[in-house]
Amino acid sequence: MTRHQPEPEPQRQPEPDTGRDPAAPAGRATPAPDPAELPGGAAVEAEGIGLKGPRGWVFREVTVEAAPGSVVALTGASGTGRTCLLLALTGRMKLTEGEARVGGLRLRKQAAAVRRTAALAHVPGVDDLEPSLTVGEHLRERVLLQRRYGTAPLAALKAALRSPRQRRADARRVHDEALAAAGLDLATLPKAPRTAVRDLERLERLRLCVALALIGRPRLIAVDDVDLKLSAPLREEAWALLASVAASGVTVLAVCGEAPAALPGDVPLVVVVTDRATGARTAEEAPAEPAPKADDTDETEKETADALAETGRA
């Protein structure tokens, strides 16, 4: 009687790595993560960017290279396109030339994604606070807007399914974290949360703007006129505030009249000097030049005002 030997099982060859989740349906690759939703700060890389307005070039030949968690100081004379450069790097103004990436996103083709990544903390003429509202009202309004418009659909659905008590607790936690990061203690204000914005000192208003921006947990925040009308001690406090925000991992773009020599805690500092003739240069490349003429300054301020009005309407 002949016995049949069992045939050996064929060896399985390892499947090539296609980048697809094994649990996902066949034929569907796992989508790449959205750079706007990645944790940490956003790197800023720009080369030869420029913006042209109705009356000519606002800035041109700008080169910026900043790592995540850096402070980028945009400094120069008034009317040299500093605010427009700030808005362009956050996706609020459309570039005319050059290439730039913010957090891995191409600025000229993915401006909407850049706007979700970057938040405006203090840009007069674009995101002004309402003087008659109180500090608490501004904070509650921002939390509600962030819950309604600033979260992904799935996260918004999960939040809607929570009980009112849980939603209030979540809002309070986000509210307290933003205030702590901005260094704003409501108990020290004249009327605590009921203090009107018009009664705040300039540095307190800056801290409130930073707290409102951090509620959305951005990867980059933009601040205009950091040192405007501030004494030397208050100027140091303002830069210390921005340095602490950058130390937490959030990249900071800041327009200023004069950049500091260094920041507390060895936070990386990148200085870009705007120049009417050449657009912008690094601090090492910018030579000393005479002050611009009054006519040139007036013309440039008109261009900036037109650009800010257009951005506010948008």
Side-chain angles (χ1 to χ4, degrees):
M1 185 174 180
T2 305
R3 294 184 177 179
H4 295 281
Q5 298 292 336
E7 296 182 0
E9 297 182 0
Q11 296 182 353
R12 299 179 61 182
Q13 298 294 331
E15 297 181 0
D17 185 9
T18 59
R20 181 174 62 85
D21 187 359
R28 293 186 180 182
T30 303
D34 184 0
E37 299 178 357
L38 295 176
V44 180
E45 302 170 351
E47 183 175 359
I49 61 174
L51 175 65
K52 189 175 184 180
R55 297 181 177 87
W57 290 98
V58 180
F59 61 83
R60 201 174 187 186
E61 300 176 8
V62 177
T63 298
V64 182
E65 185 174 355
S70 302
V71 174
V72 182
L74 308 177
T75 183
S78 176
T80 54
R82 300 174 303 171
T83 301
C84 293
L85 176 58
L86 182 81
L87 294 172
L89 290 176
T90 56
R92 270 74 178 182
M93 283 188 173
K94 188 176 182 180
L95 293 174
T96 305
E97 65 178 8
E99 294 294 335
R101 289 181 178 271
V102 177
L105 300 168
R106 299 180 62 184
L107 190 57
R108 300 186 68 179
K109 293 186 178 297
Q110 297 175 286
V114 173
R115 288 194 293 271
R116 294 194 300 269
T117 300
L120 300 182
H122 178 261
V123 183
V126 179
D127 66 339
D128 296 300
L129 301 175
E130 179 58 44
S132 61
L133 294 181
T134 66
V135 174
E137 289 171 340
H138 274 94
L139 292 168
R140 288 193 296 272
E141 178 189 50
R142 185 60 61 91
V143 170
L144 292 174
L145 289 175
Q146 178 65 27
R147 183 192 305 169
R148 177 64 179 85
Y149 300 104
T151 56
L154 182 58
L157 178 61
K158 291 181 178 179
L161 296 177
R162 294 174 182 171
S163 65
R165 178 178 297 180
Q166 290 176 326
R167 289 199 296 268
R168 287 193 297 268
D170 292 340
R172 171 60 63 179
R173 177 176 51 81
V174 173
H175 167 281
D176 292 343
E177 289 176 355
L179 288 177
L184 181 61
D185 187 0
L186 299 182
T188 62
L189 300 180
K191 296 181 181 180
R194 297 189 301 276
T195 305
V197 169
R198 67 166 65 93
D199 297 330
L200 296 177
E201 300 291 340
R202 182 166 181 80
L203 185 58
E204 293 172 340
R205 187 173 300 190
L206 175 61
R207 292 185 184 276
L208 174 59
C209 291
V210 171
L212 293 174
L214 293 177
I215 286 176
R217 296 178 179 174
R219 301 178 63 196
L220 180 147
I221 65 171
V223 186
D224 195 11
D225 292 336
V226 173
D227 54 358
L228 182 64
K229 298 181 180 179
L230 290 181
S231 62
L234 294 180
R235 196 178 302 127
E236 292 181 1
E237 289 188 38
W239 285 113
L241 164 63
L242 299 184
S244 66
V245 173
S248 68
V250 180
T251 306
V252 179
L253 299 179
V255 171
C256 58
E258 182 180 356
L263 293 174
D266 296 330
V267 174
L269 174 65
V270 178
V271 180
V272 177
V273 182
T274 58
D275 187 288
R276 187 59 182 160
T278 58
R281 309 174 182 177
T282 60
E284 293 78 7
E285 296 172 345
E289 295 185 0
K293 296 180 180 179
D295 295 343
D296 295 341
T297 302
D298 294 342
E299 187 70 18
T300 305
E301 290 178 351
K302 291 179 181 178
E303 296 176 10
T304 304
D306 292 344
L308 288 175
E310 182 178 354
T311 304
R313 289 194 298 269

